[in-house]
């Protein structure tokens, strides 16, 4: 399917300087201090595209050059079961996963597909470099599936302890290569491995939170809510590892306000982590713009303990201008914690109330919403968006699946030259 490239330029969040995108620009080339950059779209109005399928319905606010096959958009609906249980009148669930009954057909069962379809559509068709994606699990599954479906070469770096997340309905195309760091390593170690590989010009890093395509793909969740309700939510809840999805939601809430058709952006951003991995919680509660200290061994131990392993990120975009600290501060938001017992409770309770299963991470967000209700942080008549970022795995996997095992297992402390050599041997 062909579509015209979206027209946009970039803006340095810290300085306000506007400049042109060079195709894969991740930062301001003349910026003297670190800062996220944002996409500024030529079309300032929220204009869903009726002529495009899936997530590309929102192409006017995605920095893309093309559209890819088999995408699906998040689905927003008004909750009945959970809303009644919590005593909320206007609770809307934005679901990204597999539940065809409501139109949700993300076959990897994760909203990380929103990132993949946006980032890969930002790439030029003639790009010769191989993309590197670093992931704790769900992002890896999403990129592997989308790259396989669209024959886009990719090297995905993950912790070996997350390889159980790499399940698929059928065998992947050979263009997808999986590189793992050994048992006991975490997401940060996978990031280090990818950065070493990227020292070779034959490869390019996806860019994480710095990539406007990642954020604006994830931000389609808030656009789904706006289409369903005609407004911006009063409160937004999401579980986070890096916080990129929450940053993206707030950025699109600002765009919706500027479009003039959705009212004021008074959205409070509430995020949650899986205790004991509480880096963002601890930093925010300390009132600190800088992340509180977390040594590598402690971080790895905490990541091993938690059920929602995708929420363990030792290097999140918290302090950088435009990052999570600024998002929480600007929105009068807050950070919650949920432990493994909370997750297990809500995995069972949510299925009974809403009719489908959630992954562990979004159960952290449900637990945070319940605590916010208990603490009086949200009113019963407020419009609340609960961003359920993945689920439906029981139904999806019941049709059968295959696991993708690592093509290579490499220690994160290997020299860059050795990492590059070993990876090139399997391409």
């Amino acid at each position: 399917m062909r579509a015209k490239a979206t027209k946009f330029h970039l803006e340095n969040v810290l300085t306000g300087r506007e400049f042109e995108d060079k195709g894969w620009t991740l930062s301001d080339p003349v910026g003297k201090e670190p800062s996220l950059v944002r996409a500024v779209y030529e079309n300032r109005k929220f204009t869903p595209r009726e002529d495009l399928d899936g997530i590309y319905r929102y192409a006017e606010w995605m920095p893309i050059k093309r559209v890819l096959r088999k995408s699906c958009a998040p689905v927003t609906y008004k909750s009945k079961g959970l809303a009644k249980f919590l005593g909320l009148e206007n609770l809307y669930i934005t679901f990204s996963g597999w539940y065809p009954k409501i139109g949700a057909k993300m076959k990897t069962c994760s909203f990380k597909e929103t990132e993949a379809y946006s980032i890969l559509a930002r790439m030029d068709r003639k790009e010769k470099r191989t993309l590197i994606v670093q992931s704790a699990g769900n992002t890896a599954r999403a990129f592997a599936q989308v790259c396989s479906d669209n024959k886009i070469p990719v090297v995905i770096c993950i912790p070996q302890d997350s390889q159980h997340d790499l399940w698929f309905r059928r065998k992947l195309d050979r263009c997808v290569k999986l590189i793992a760091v050994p048992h006991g390593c975490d997401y940060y170690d996978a990031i280090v491995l990818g950065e070493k590989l990227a020292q070779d010009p034959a490869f390019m890093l996806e860019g994480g939170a710095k990539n406007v395509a990642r954020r604006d793909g994830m931000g389609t969740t808030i656009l789904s809510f706006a289409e369903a309700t005609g407004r911006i939510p009063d409160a937004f809840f999401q579980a986070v590892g890096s916080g990129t999805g929450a940053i993206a939601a707030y950025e699109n809430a600002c765009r919706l306000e500027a479009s003039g058709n959705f009212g004021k952006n008074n959205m409070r951003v509430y995020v949650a982590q899986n205790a004991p991995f509480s880096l963002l919680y601890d930093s925010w509660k300390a009132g600190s713009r800088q992340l509180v200290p977390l040594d590598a061994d402690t971080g790895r131990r905490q990541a091993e303990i938690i059920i929602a392993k995708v929420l363990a990120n030792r290097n999140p975009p918290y302090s950088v201008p435009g990052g999570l600290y600024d998002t929480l501060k600007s929105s009068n938001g807050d950070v919650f914690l949920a432990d493994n017992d909370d997750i297990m409770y809500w995995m069972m309770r949510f299925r009974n109330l809403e009719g489908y299963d959630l992954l562990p991470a979004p159960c952290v967000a449900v637990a945070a919403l319940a605590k916010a209700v208990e603490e009086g942080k949200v009113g019963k008549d407020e419009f609340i968006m609960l961003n359920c970022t993945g689920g439906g795995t029981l139904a999806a996997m019941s049709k059968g699946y295959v696991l993708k095992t690592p093509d290579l297992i490499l220690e994160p402390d290997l020299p860059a030259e050795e990492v590059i050599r070993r990876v090139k041997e399997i391409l």
Side-chain angles (χ1 to χ4, degrees), residues 234-256:
D234 298 309
F236 168 92
F237 286 83
Q238 184 181 318
V240 295
S242 68
T244 307
I247 297 166
Y250 191 70
E251 288 177 329
N252 262 352
C254 292
R255 289 188 181 108
L256 288 168

Short mmCIF file of all heavy atoms in Angstrom, two decimals, residues 234-256:
data_model
loop_
_atom_site.label_atom_id
_atom_site.label_comp_id
_atom_site.label_asym_id
_atom_site.label_seq_id
_atom_site.Cartn_x
_atom_site.Cartn_y
_atom_site.Cartn_z
N ASP A 234 -9.25 13.32 31.59
CA ASP A 234 -8.85 14.05 32.79
C ASP A 234 -7.66 13.37 33.46
O ASP A 234 -6.83 14.03 34.08
CB ASP A 234 -10.01 14.13 33.79
CG ASP A 234 -11.20 14.87 33.22
OD1 ASP A 234 -11.01 16.00 32.73
OD2 ASP A 234 -12.33 14.32 33.26
N ALA A 235 -7.62 12.05 33.36
CA ALA A 235 -6.54 11.28 33.98
C ALA A 235 -6.16 10.12 33.07
O ALA A 235 -7.01 9.50 32.44
CB ALA A 235 -6.97 10.76 35.35
N PHE A 236 -4.87 9.85 33.02
CA PHE A 236 -4.31 8.82 32.14
C PHE A 236 -3.47 7.88 33.00
O PHE A 236 -2.63 8.33 33.78
CB PHE A 236 -3.45 9.50 31.07
CG PHE A 236 -2.58 8.57 30.26
CD1 PHE A 236 -3.03 8.05 29.06
CD2 PHE A 236 -1.29 8.24 30.68
CE1 PHE A 236 -2.22 7.20 28.30
CE2 PHE A 236 -0.48 7.40 29.93
CZ PHE A 236 -0.95 6.89 28.74
N PHE A 237 -3.68 6.58 32.85
CA PHE A 237 -2.94 5.59 33.63
C PHE A 237 -2.21 4.62 32.70
O PHE A 237 -2.80 4.10 31.75
CB PHE A 237 -3.90 4.79 34.52
CG PHE A 237 -4.41 5.56 35.70
CD1 PHE A 237 -5.49 6.41 35.56
CD2 PHE A 237 -3.80 5.44 36.95
CE1 PHE A 237 -5.97 7.14 36.64
CE2 PHE A 237 -4.27 6.16 38.04
CZ PHE A 237 -5.36 7.01 37.90
N GLN A 238 -0.93 4.38 33.01
CA GLN A 238 -0.15 3.41 32.23
C GLN A 238 0.99 2.89 33.08
O GLN A 238 1.60 3.62 33.86
CB GLN A 238 0.41 4.03 30.95
CG GLN A 238 1.15 3.01 30.08
CD GLN A 238 1.74 3.63 28.82
OE1 GLN A 238 1.11 4.43 28.15
NE2 GLN A 238 2.96 3.24 28.49
N ALA A 239 1.31 1.61 32.94
CA ALA A 239 2.51 1.04 33.52
C ALA A 239 3.70 1.40 32.65
O ALA A 239 3.57 1.48 31.42
CB ALA A 239 2.38 -0.48 33.63
N VAL A 240 4.87 1.63 33.26
CA VAL A 240 6.02 2.10 32.49
C VAL A 240 7.31 1.42 32.92
O VAL A 240 7.49 1.06 34.08
CB VAL A 240 6.21 3.64 32.62
CG1 VAL A 240 5.04 4.38 32.00
CG2 VAL A 240 6.40 4.05 34.07
N GLY A 241 8.20 1.25 31.94
CA GLY A 241 9.57 0.87 32.20
C GLY A 241 10.46 2.06 31.92
O GLY A 241 11.21 2.53 32.75
N SER A 242 10.31 2.60 30.70
CA SER A 242 11.04 3.81 30.32
C SER A 242 10.19 5.06 30.53
O SER A 242 10.72 6.15 30.74
CB SER A 242 11.47 3.74 28.85
OG SER A 242 10.34 3.81 28.00
N GLY A 243 8.88 4.93 30.40
CA GLY A 243 7.99 6.08 30.47
C GLY A 243 7.71 6.70 29.12
O GLY A 243 6.99 7.70 29.03
N THR A 244 8.26 6.12 28.05
CA THR A 244 8.11 6.70 26.73
C THR A 244 6.65 6.78 26.29
O THR A 244 6.21 7.76 25.69
CB THR A 244 8.93 5.91 25.69
OG1 THR A 244 10.28 5.79 26.15
CG2 THR A 244 8.92 6.59 24.34
N GLY A 245 5.87 5.76 26.61
CA GLY A 245 4.45 5.77 26.24
C GLY A 245 3.68 6.88 26.91
O GLY A 245 2.77 7.48 26.31
N ALA A 246 4.04 7.18 28.17
CA ALA A 246 3.37 8.27 28.88
C ALA A 246 3.78 9.63 28.32
O ALA A 246 2.95 10.54 28.18
CB ALA A 246 3.71 8.19 30.37
N ILE A 247 5.05 9.77 27.98
CA ILE A 247 5.52 11.00 27.33
C ILE A 247 4.76 11.20 26.02
O ILE A 247 4.27 12.30 25.73
CB ILE A 247 7.04 10.91 27.04
CG1 ILE A 247 7.85 10.79 28.33
CG2 ILE A 247 7.51 12.14 26.25
CD1 ILE A 247 9.30 10.37 28.11
N ALA A 248 4.64 10.13 25.25
CA ALA A 248 3.96 10.20 23.95
C ALA A 248 2.50 10.59 24.11
O ALA A 248 1.97 11.39 23.32
CB ALA A 248 4.07 8.85 23.25
N ALA A 249 1.84 10.03 25.11
CA ALA A 249 0.43 10.35 25.34
C ALA A 249 0.26 11.83 25.66
O ALA A 249 -0.65 12.49 25.15
CB ALA A 249 -0.12 9.50 26.47
N TYR A 250 1.14 12.36 26.49
CA TYR A 250 1.03 13.77 26.86
C TYR A 250 1.33 14.68 25.67
O TYR A 250 0.66 15.70 25.47
CB TYR A 250 1.97 14.09 28.02
CG TYR A 250 1.71 15.46 28.61
CD1 TYR A 250 0.55 15.70 29.35
CD2 TYR A 250 2.60 16.51 28.41
CE1 TYR A 250 0.30 16.95 29.89
CE2 TYR A 250 2.35 17.76 28.95
CZ TYR A 250 1.20 17.98 29.69
OH TYR A 250 0.94 19.22 30.21
N GLU A 251 2.30 14.31 24.85
CA GLU A 251 2.60 15.11 23.66
C GLU A 251 1.39 15.17 22.73
O GLU A 251 1.05 16.24 22.20
CB GLU A 251 3.81 14.51 22.92
CG GLU A 251 5.13 14.73 23.64
CD GLU A 251 6.30 14.09 22.93
OE1 GLU A 251 6.10 13.03 22.28
OE2 GLU A 251 7.42 14.62 23.03
N ASN A 252 0.71 14.04 22.54
CA ASN A 252 -0.46 14.07 21.67
C ASN A 252 -1.65 14.77 22.32
O ASN A 252 -2.48 15.35 21.62
CB ASN A 252 -0.84 12.65 21.23
CG ASN A 252 -0.29 12.32 19.84
OD1 ASN A 252 0.24 13.19 19.15
ND2 ASN A 252 -0.42 11.08 19.42
N ALA A 253 -1.74 14.74 23.65
CA ALA A 253 -2.78 15.51 24.32
C ALA A 253 -2.57 17.00 24.07
O ALA A 253 -3.53 17.76 23.86
CB ALA A 253 -2.78 15.21 25.82
N CYS A 254 -1.31 17.42 24.05
CA CYS A 254 -0.99 18.83 23.74
C CYS A 254 -1.37 19.16 22.30
O CYS A 254 -1.90 20.25 22.02
CB CYS A 254 0.49 19.10 23.97
SG CYS A 254 1.01 19.04 25.70
N ARG A 255 -1.12 18.23 21.38
CA ARG A 255 -1.50 18.46 19.98
C ARG A 255 -3.02 18.56 19.86
O ARG A 255 -3.54 19.38 19.09
CB ARG A 255 -0.98 17.33 19.10
CG ARG A 255 0.53 17.33 18.91
CD ARG A 255 0.96 16.30 17.87
NE ARG A 255 2.40 16.27 17.70
CZ ARG A 255 3.20 15.29 18.12
NH1 ARG A 255 2.68 14.23 18.71
NH2 ARG A 255 4.51 15.37 17.95
N LEU A 256 -3.73 17.71 20.58
CA LEU A 256 -5.20 17.74 20.52
C LEU A 256 -5.74 19.07 21.05
O LEU A 256 -6.68 19.63 20.48
CB LEU A 256 -5.78 16.57 21.33
CG LEU A 256 -5.62 15.18 20.71
CD1 LEU A 256 -5.97 14.10 21.72
CD2 LEU A 256 -6.48 15.03 19.46
#
